Amino acid sequence: MWIELLISRNPLRPEPNPRDREIDMRRFLFFLAVGAWAVTQGVAEEDFVTIWPENPVVEFGGSLVLNCSASCENIGLETIFTRVPSGNGSNWKAFRLSNVSDWGPRPLCYASCGSGQKNSPMANIIIYKLPDSITLDQIPKMEVGKPYDLTCQVSGVAPIQNLTVTLLKGTEQLLAKTFENHTAPGVGRVVVKHTIIAQRNDHKKTVTCQTSLDLNPRGPLLKNTSHNMSLESFDFAGTPQLHAGLFLEAGTKMTVTCNTSEVSPAKEAAFDLWFAGKPLTLNTRVTGGVASAQAVVIPSSVGEHELLCNISLGPVTKNVKKMVNVFGASHICNC
Ligand SMILES: *[C@@H]1O[C@H](CO)[C@@H](O)[C@H](O)[C@H]1NC(C)=O
Ligand SMILES: *[C@@H]1O[C@H](CO)[C@@H](O)[C@H](O)[C@H]1NC(C)=O
Ligand SMILES: *[C@@H]1O[C@H](CO)[C@@H](O)[C@H](O)[C@H]1NC(C)=O
């Protein structure tokens, strides 16, 4: 191209004077020198050292093959991992690295090139590890309207930067947490927390904690799930009622009923009835959202006796009492 430049100048100057000719000659020599330098550089540029694959993905403790190719002699691989030669050719050498489980310096390929030191390419390895455990903390029996923490702990996982932890209630996603800003390399542990306000329809819903380790585009998307945890949600806003007579003749039967509305799930309400400190045998039932228990009292001793009804539902227990006056048969005769 520089020759063309010199020649193309000539038509512009039909009669170049000797001085101009001298300048042209100097230019010619200068370009010749530059050209020769460019040619030697061009040859040197053909020297290369490469590593393959450049971005491998390997499971924690697993193995992989790295292949170093070069146009030069004495090809080698520098690494902290255990390695064995795994094939060679005229311009390449492959190595199998095993027990890849450390976040140390990256492996690099080298070779001695006559033209001087070449850049030593490094393999940027992603070491991944599926979680050792995904644990959902136990959730207590819940009362509708009150807050409860759902806590999921994921341990023994890497790389945390590629991890998403998702909390689900049934099919509803409550939270999806990522850790892009996590800096510590290696296997680690994360804890994810989410507060829910207990709802009536949460009862018997399943909570799960899912992890996904997304190694795309270099590797797969790996998912795991915790065990299922069943929610128990109770609503007991009602006030228990006790239906019983206040006076009763000793030795006679009286049917007593204890019930409550505003109770959910009504069929899970547990009743206890006591008369004069003794438990009564009872029948329970649920009709139209009202839970009730019935028992028969046959008092043998006269006096004031306490009738007690206890209702418990999940974490809530309520009770109602009544005093019953038991009188003797002789009392009637005196009337
Ligand atoms: C290593 O790379 C060279 C050059 O790219 C190739 O010819 C050779 O088959 C590769 N060897 C292995 C084991 O991958
Ligand atoms: C190349 O591989 C052969 C076996 O396939 C082995 O005998 C030889 O030592 C290797 N050469 C180098 C330089 O590693
Ligand atoms: C995660 O999933 C993998 C494969 O799907 C399985 O082998 C492993 O046991 C799971 N780990 C946990 C903690 O569930």
Side-chain angles (χ1 to χ4, degrees):
M1 192 168 79
W2 48 274
I3 291 171
E4 275 173 357
L5 268 173
L6 285 177
I7 293 166
S8 67
R9 283 188 50 150
N10 290 342
L12 300 175
R13 292 190 187 181
E15 284 297 321
N17 62 35
R19 199 182 129 72
D20 283 347
R21 265 210 195 105
E22 198 189 311
I23 288 170
D24 279 349
M25 195 56 187
R26 276 192 197 152
R27 278 200 180 129
F28 176 79
L29 289 172
F30 171 76
F31 281 121
L32 196 64
V34 168
W37 175 80
V39 168
T40 48
Q41 281 308 102
V43 169
E45 225 112 56
E46 281 165 19
D47 276 346
F48 65 85
V49 182
T50 60
I51 194 162
W52 188 89
E54 281 178 273
N55 297 304
V57 174
V58 60
E59 187 163 8
F60 182 84
S63 65
L64 88 152
V65 172
L66 287 178
N67 186 353
C68 296
S69 322
S71 58
C72 321
E73 306 267 276
N74 302 324
I75 301 172
L77 177 77
E78 199 174 291
T79 178
I80 54 165
F81 301 119
T82 309
R83 52 127 195 249
V84 290
S86 148
N88 61 64
S90 58
N91 65 345
W92 61 271
K93 254 189 213 171
F95 302 87
R96 171 170 291 276
L97 313 194
S98 53
N99 193 20
V100 178
S101 57
D102 219 319
W103 278 262
R106 301 169 179 183
L108 64 83
C109 290
Y110 59 82
S112 11
C113 295
S115 56
Q117 192 60 45
K118 293 283 99 193
N119 279 341
S120 306
M122 298 185 192
N124 182 21
I125 304 180
I126 288 188
I127 304 172
Y128 73 87
K129 189 170 177 309
L130 290 174
D132 286 332
S133 68
I134 307 170
T135 320
L136 265 174
D137 285 5
Q138 197 61 44
I139 304 166
K141 291 179 175 179
M142 306 190 297
E143 257 185 274
V144 167
K146 291 194 175 171
Y148 296 88
D149 278 345
L150 304 181
T151 307
C152 178
Q153 309 196 35
V154 180
S155 65
V157 64
I160 290 174
Q161 293 84 342
N162 297 51
L163 180 71
T164 304
V165 179
T166 310
L167 277 172
L168 294 157
K169 182 173 79 181
T171 54
E172 180 195 349
Q173 181 177 307
L174 300 172
L175 176 77
K177 192 158 162 57
T178 55
F179 307 88
E180 296 97 342
N181 300 327
H182 185 91
T183 48
V187 175
R189 170 177 176 271
V190 296
V191 178
V192 167
K193 221 175 235 180
H194 181 75
T195 305
I196 58 167
I197 305 292
Q199 316 275 314
R200 259 194 188 203
N201 66 6
D202 282 345
H203 196 64
K204 297 261 154 65
K205 276 195 180 161
T206 297
V207 172
T208 50
C209 180
Q210 296 186 349
T211 61
S212 70
L213 204 52
D214 189 357
L215 305 168
N216 275 306
R218 288 163 58 176
L221 173 67
L222 301 160
K223 296 192 172 190
N224 275 101
T225 305
S226 68
H227 60 280
N228 287 350
M229 182 138 72
S230 192
L231 291 178
E232 292 182 280
S233 180
F234 301 98
D235 192 2
F236 187 4
T239 306
Q241 309 280 324
L242 194 51
H243 303 281
L246 295 178
F247 299 94
L248 180 62
E249 185 186 340
T252 59
K253 276 190 198 175
M254 176 170 73
T255 300
V256 298
T257 305
C258 180
N259 65 21
T260 184
S261 58
E262 295 177 79
V263 63
S264 168
K267 63 181 186 308
E268 291 191 30
F271 288 82
D272 272 314
L273 275 165
W274 301 74
F275 183 73
K278 291 200 180 85
L280 300 174
T281 311
L282 43 84
N283 290 309
T284 56
R285 60 183 197 150
V286 174
T287 38
V290 175
S292 60
Q294 247 184 17
V296 173
V297 178
I298 310 173
S300 49
S301 60
V302 296
E304 289 271 308
H305 294 297
E306 187 184 70
L307 179 63
L308 171 69
C309 174
N310 232 322
I311 308 177
S312 51
L313 180 70
V316 185
T317 298
K318 293 186 178 183
N319 63 57
V320 55
K321 291 173 194 175
K322 225 170 201 183
M323 294 311 291
V324 177
N325 192 323
V326 179
F327 54 86
S330 58
H331 181 72
I332 290 175
C333 296
N334 291 347
C335 286

